Amino acid sequence: MGGTEPELEEENERREEEDKGDEEEEVEGEYEGNEEGERDVEKGEVGVKEKVMERNNVNDEGQRNFRVSTLQRLNPSNPLRIAFNNSTRVAIPPPSQTSLPRSAPAPQPSITTLNSRRYTNRIFLFLFVLHMVLAFGLVCFLVFKGIQGLVVASDTVKRKEKRILKYFLPQAEVASLLSITLALVWQKAVRVWPGFMIHFILWGSFFMSLSAGILLICFQTAPTDGVGVCFVAFAIGNGLYACWVNQRIKFSTKILIKSLEPVPKFGDLNQPTYWMLGIGFLWMSLWILAVIGALNFHFAPLTIIALVLSLAWTTEVMRNVVNLTVSRVISLYYLRGMQANTKFCFQRAVTRNLGSACLGSLFVPAIEALRIVARGLNLLEGEDEFMFSCAHCCLGVMECIFRYGNGWAFAQIAAYGKGFVQASQDTWALFQRQDMVTLVDSDITSSICFLTGVCSASICVIVVAAWTAEVHKPFTASISLLAFFIGYLMTRIAMALPHACVSCYYVCYAENPENRLFDKTIKDRQNLLKSGRDVVVPTPRAPHRLSS
């Protein structure tokens, strides 16, 4: 018995060690299955099987049973990490997968920037620079020809040159100075009394052009009668237009007042206008001398026509340089609340965005003029008249072209540095998205700026024609046309500032109507039009089947 007891004790100790080793193997296997399932779940795999070990010691302590359980399918957007602790399941969401659902798209960086450094429309920039080089060379050559006619030509040519210099050059220079003075006066008056000036310009241009036409007819010469009839015809159309847009004046006045509110915040905003008017006066003086010299050159009429077209494009580019400068300053104020430096904006307009100014200056006046003609034909159209059978088609074509080239584009060109065509498309798409096409289409700010130029030009014609008729009557008709041309171009340069402010107000509102810098003027107008409590004088438009 003494020997048997130690043997039994050794056997019991051996069995206890075996049981303890089996339990440790089970626990290790359990943890390994847990880690394997955990890794599969983090990888996004589903339907993983894991082993759950349960001890069954009801009848026999040495027997162990295994039971296999299958995990339920987990939500892929919120996977669970399973941990076992004595048959207890704890669900722990991984922090890396709870921030965003897997279906949420990653944010894309914006492709638009307010500080684009690329040059826009480089081809037209190159063409304009080439044109300026050729124009400057031609002007210098013609000035040399004029001086040569005074020095080495025959007596007949010398007398002709002296007569032109005496009776032509002073009137042209006075017309330039008078137009610059009137341009600055109009701009200042529009900024101070916008409501009054809209009515004054609409009817002032009517009376001034009518007075100029009557004065020229009173001289009773064939050239002056022809020019005078054109002025009278234009005055009649001007008066009809003033009556037609009478219902648009009130809302346009509100927009003009609101759009001019940021101008006093920028004390040097008018500096680009002064620079362009000064450069324009110097170039105009050389140009007038070149016209005089062209009279002593071969193909004088063709040369003068080329000079007129060159001057028109050059002054239009000057106007749009002012437009781009003001548009960038005002756009940055609306879009970012920034007080931009006018000098840097002007430098940007004459360098990086000059190509767009050249392209827009070349095509926008032509597109708008053809659009007006197409709408006029649409007004005169009859049901059975063959003459106007293509009116709808022409208007539809012009409306389509207008989407790819319009004056509203300069706001986005200045702000984002886009090309002219892309900016025109994006701006018109903004207007369509915000249901603002009717509002911008009925805006008369562009017409007011145009009629301001006509009013200044008519005043220049009256002054110069009366002067020339007293000193040398044969020059009256030609000098009257030149004075009208100079007066109109110079005034449009100065009126670029209010025009740019209105354009930026519309375009920036269309981009972000909830901006705190905008009030409810446009939104209230839209609500009135939709409810039928207010009407807009219908503008002739192409039928939907043609314009779409």
Side-chain angles (χ1 to χ4, degrees):
M1 296 297 291
T4 305
E5 291 180 355
E7 293 179 359
L8 292 176
E9 291 177 358
E10 291 177 359
E11 184 177 357
N12 291 334
E13 291 177 359
R14 182 175 54 83
R15 288 182 179 179
E16 289 178 357
E17 290 178 359
E18 290 178 357
D19 294 340
K20 184 177 180 181
D22 293 338
E23 290 176 358
E24 290 177 355
E25 290 178 0
E26 291 174 359
V27 172
E28 290 177 359
E30 184 178 358
Y31 287 156
E32 289 176 0
N34 181 22
E35 292 176 357
E36 182 180 358
E38 185 175 329
R39 287 195 301 270
D40 293 336
V41 171
E42 290 178 350
K43 293 178 182 179
E45 300 177 2
V46 294
V48 180
K49 294 183 179 180
E50 62 178 21
K51 297 181 179 180
V52 180
M53 315 299 294
E54 290 187 355
R55 186 186 305 266
N56 187 2
N57 49 8
V58 177
N59 297 323
D60 186 4
E61 296 179 356
Q63 294 182 355
R64 298 168 179 84
N65 297 325
F66 297 91
R67 185 175 59 187
V68 180
S69 64
T70 304
L71 292 175
Q72 300 295 328
R73 184 176 296 272
L74 301 177
N75 186 354
S77 64
N78 188 20
L80 300 178
R81 180 174 298 166
I82 308 300
F84 291 91
N85 184 11
N86 295 330
S87 302
T88 302
R89 296 185 180 185
V90 181
I92 304 175
S96 61
Q97 297 184 6
T98 57
S99 58
L100 282 177
R102 294 188 181 183
S103 60
Q108 298 294 331
S110 177
I111 61 174
T112 58
T113 175
L114 295 174
N115 195 28
S116 175
R117 297 184 179 275
R118 69 185 185 92
Y119 285 80
T120 58
N121 300 111
R122 298 183 180 182
I123 295 177
F124 285 90
L125 175 60
F126 171 76
L127 292 177
F128 179 75
V129 173
L130 178 63
H131 149 263
M132 287 304 302
V133 172
L134 297 176
F136 184 76
L138 179 61
V139 167
C140 292
F141 174 76
L142 293 176
V143 171
F144 168 76
K145 292 294 291 183
I147 296 174
Q148 187 181 35
L150 287 173
V151 176
V152 299
S154 61
D155 294 339
T156 304
V157 175
K158 288 181 179 179
R159 285 195 299 270
K160 180 181 178 181
E161 289 283 339
K162 290 179 180 179
R163 188 170 62 250
I164 293 174
L165 290 174
K166 183 178 180 179
Y167 301 119
F168 190 91
L169 183 61
Q171 288 89 326
E173 293 291 338
V174 168
S176 298
L177 292 173
L178 181 60
S179 62
I180 291 175
T181 304
L182 290 174
L184 296 176
V185 169
W186 291 132
Q187 191 210 89
K188 181 65 175 180
V190 168
R191 290 166 54 188
V192 177
W193 308 295
F196 169 76
M197 288 305 298
I198 287 182
H199 291 86
F200 183 83
I201 291 171
L202 281 173
W203 293 106
S205 58
F206 164 74
F207 287 111
M208 289 300 172
S209 57
L210 182 63
S211 300
I214 294 174
L215 177 64
L216 292 174
I217 292 174
C218 290
F219 293 143
Q220 295 182 355
T221 63
T224 55
D225 289 344
V227 178
V229 169
C230 294
F231 273 95
V232 171
F234 179 84
I236 294 173
N238 190 357
L240 294 175
Y241 176 78
C243 296
W244 183 46
V245 299
N246 187 52
Q247 297 181 6
R248 303 182 185 181
I249 295 176
K250 184 177 180 181
F251 177 73
S252 297
T253 302
K254 291 181 180 180
I255 293 296
L256 181 59
I257 293 173
K258 292 295 298 181
S259 62
L260 291 175
E261 286 181 356
V263 175
K265 301 179 185 296
F266 306 93
D268 58 347
L269 191 59
N270 223 14
Q271 290 293 330
T273 304
Y274 300 147
W275 279 103
M276 291 295 104
L277 287 176
I279 296 173
F281 175 75
L282 295 177
W283 180 248
M284 194 75 69
S285 301
L286 287 175
W287 184 85
I288 294 169
L289 293 174
V291 170
I292 296 174
L295 299 175
N296 292 330
F297 189 61
H298 303 290
F299 308 107
L302 293 179
T303 305
I304 293 175
I305 291 174
L307 288 174
V308 168
L309 295 177
S310 173
L311 181 64
W313 191 18
T314 303
T315 53
E316 190 69 14
V317 170
M318 292 180 180
R319 181 177 76 89
N320 284 323
V321 165
V322 178
N323 191 345
L324 288 172
T325 304
V326 177
S327 296
R328 181 161 180 84
V329 173
I330 302 299
S331 296
L332 292 181
Y333 172 76
Y334 283 137
L335 296 176
R336 297 293 185 269
M338 298 170 55
Q339 294 253 351
N341 191 312
T342 304
K343 182 179 70 175
F344 294 151
C345 295
F346 178 68
Q347 292 175 354
R348 184 183 181 88
V350 297
T351 53
R352 304 186 187 280
N353 296 335
L354 185 59
S356 296
C358 299
L359 177 58
S361 302
L362 193 61
F363 287 105
V364 168
I367 292 173
E368 290 183 348
L370 293 175
R371 193 168 178 240
I372 292 173
V373 172
R375 287 181 168 181
L377 291 176
N378 198 66
L379 283 174
L380 298 174
E381 178 200 11
E383 292 294 334
D384 300 323
E385 296 180 7
F386 177 77
M387 182 182 298
F388 302 106
S389 60
C390 296
H392 283 318
C393 181
C394 294
L395 185 58
V397 171
M398 293 313 304
E399 292 291 339
C400 181
I401 295 175
F402 189 75
R403 293 185 177 91
Y404 295 91
N406 54 76
W408 304 102
F410 289 107
Q412 289 217 348
I413 293 172
Y416 299 111
K418 299 179 181 179
F420 176 74
V421 177
Q422 184 64 42
S424 300
Q425 292 176 311
D426 294 346
T427 304
W428 201 252
L430 282 176
F431 289 154
Q432 290 178 329
R433 187 175 63 191
Q434 299 295 340
D435 197 17
M436 293 176 56
V437 174
T438 303
L439 291 182
V440 300
D441 209 28
S442 61
D443 184 75
I444 64 173
T445 304
S446 179
S447 300
I448 293 298
C449 295
F450 169 77
L451 293 177
T452 305
V454 171
C455 191
S456 293
S458 300
I459 295 174
C460 292
V461 168
I462 293 173
V463 173
V464 170
W467 181 8
T468 309
E470 289 294 327
V471 296
H472 196 72
K473 195 172 183 178
F475 287 171
T476 304
S478 58
I479 198 67
S480 298
L481 289 176
L482 180 62
F484 184 87
F485 188 61
I486 294 173
Y488 172 78
L489 294 178
M490 290 297 179
T491 305
R492 287 307 303 271
I493 293 176
M495 292 302 294
L497 189 146
H499 191 195
C501 291
V502 173
S503 298
C504 289
Y505 190 87
Y506 277 112
V507 174
C508 294
Y509 177 87
E511 186 168 345
N512 185 13
E514 304 302 326
N515 193 327
R516 61 181 180 82
L517 296 175
F518 300 114
D519 60 4
K520 296 184 178 180
T521 303
I522 294 179
K523 187 174 295 185
D524 291 343
R525 178 70 166 173
Q526 289 177 315
N527 293 333
L528 288 175
L529 293 176
K530 291 178 181 179
S531 62
R533 288 177 291 173
D534 197 359
V535 294
V536 174
V537 178
T539 301
R541 301 183 64 85
H544 179 71
R545 57 185 176 84
L546 293 176
S547 59
S548 61

